[in-house]
Amino acid sequence: MDRLIAGYRKFRATTWPQERDRYEELASKGQKPETLVVSCSDSRVDPQTIFSAGPGELFVVRNVAALVPKYEPDAHYHGTSAALEFGVRVLKVRRIVVLGHAHCGGVQAMVEGAPDLAKDFVEPWIGIAKELLTTKPAPAHCDKLVHFETETVRLTLENLLSFPWINDAVKSGTLGLHGFRFDVSTGVLGLLEGEGFVSVD
Ligand SMILES: [Zn+2]
């Protein structure tokens, strides 16, 4: 716990005085983020850090492998879909960004099977993307995990369109969908364009 408490004290001493006005304004007026980020829970891929975002800028949904299931309004516990509903319909974000990354343990589990101790929830969750193993097999010449990290971002973007209110907003031009991949080892961000990711200058 010491590391967390020390980190909090640093925040209070340095960040809070700088951002205080912003926090107070957000507290009184409410949040109005323009961007919703679907990111992996991976500790190395923090959207706030990567996009140098301040308080109130990003509405973030994090889960294993940055996946979005298809639209299934039923009585199950749809945490990711609930966050999408709130962000898109209530907060009216202007864009959804799907942030995949290199060395993704979730994608690796999808390709190679979940670890033995992660069968209860991780296994069915990554099943969302399992169809890719047959619908988009990795070409012989390319890195299998990089290929599926790319295709998983693409599938998530497709699944977002299965939500009728996302589809409508995209069609009317009030909502944009974008895919990114963060390379943990180089710190370079790629934007999904056509066949693959193009490094952002
Ligand atoms: Zn990951």
Side-chain angles (χ1 to χ4, degrees), residues 32-161:
K32 194 77 185 98
E34 292 193 347
T35 301
L36 187 156
V37 184
V38 180
S39 171
C40 185
S41 297
D42 192 296
S43 61
R44 301 162 295 182
V45 188
D46 175 33
Q48 194 104 352
T49 303
I50 293 169
F51 295 113
S52 301
E57 283 189 63
L58 303 178
F59 190 78
V60 179
V61 193
R62 298 183 76 162
N63 64 45
V64 172
L67 295 172
V68 166
K70 285 198 168 68
Y71 177 71
E72 281 178 313
D74 57 30
H76 295 296
Y77 298 124
H78 295 290
T80 293
S81 304
L84 289 168
E85 183 175 56
F86 193 76
V88 172
R89 305 193 82 184
V90 180
L91 298 177
K92 301 195 185 307
V93 296
R94 294 172 60 184
R95 69 191 67 83
I96 299 177
V97 162
V98 178
L99 179 61
H101 69 100
H103 312 293
C104 182
V107 171
Q108 186 179 3
M110 190 270 283
V111 176
E112 299 171 2
D116 286 344
L117 295 175
K119 298 290 187 195
D120 288 352
F121 299 104
V122 172
E123 181 90 352
W125 175 254
I126 57 178
I128 291 170
K130 209 116 196 170
E131 64 181 73
L132 293 173
L133 298 177
T134 46
T135 57
K136 299 276 173 62
H141 62 275
C142 73
D143 183 301
K144 209 173 179 182
L145 287 182
V146 174
H147 168 80
F148 284 113
E149 282 161 8
T150 305
E151 293 306 322
T152 299
V153 171
R154 223 191 287 277
L155 179 76
T156 296
L157 291 166
E158 281 171 25
N159 285 351
L160 283 169
L161 290 172

Side-chain angles (χ1 to χ4, degrees), residues 11 41 100 113 130 141 159 162 169 175 193-194 198:
F11 161 78
S41 297
K130 209 116 196 170
H141 62 275
N159 285 351
S162 70
L175 181 71
E193 283 181 0
V198 178

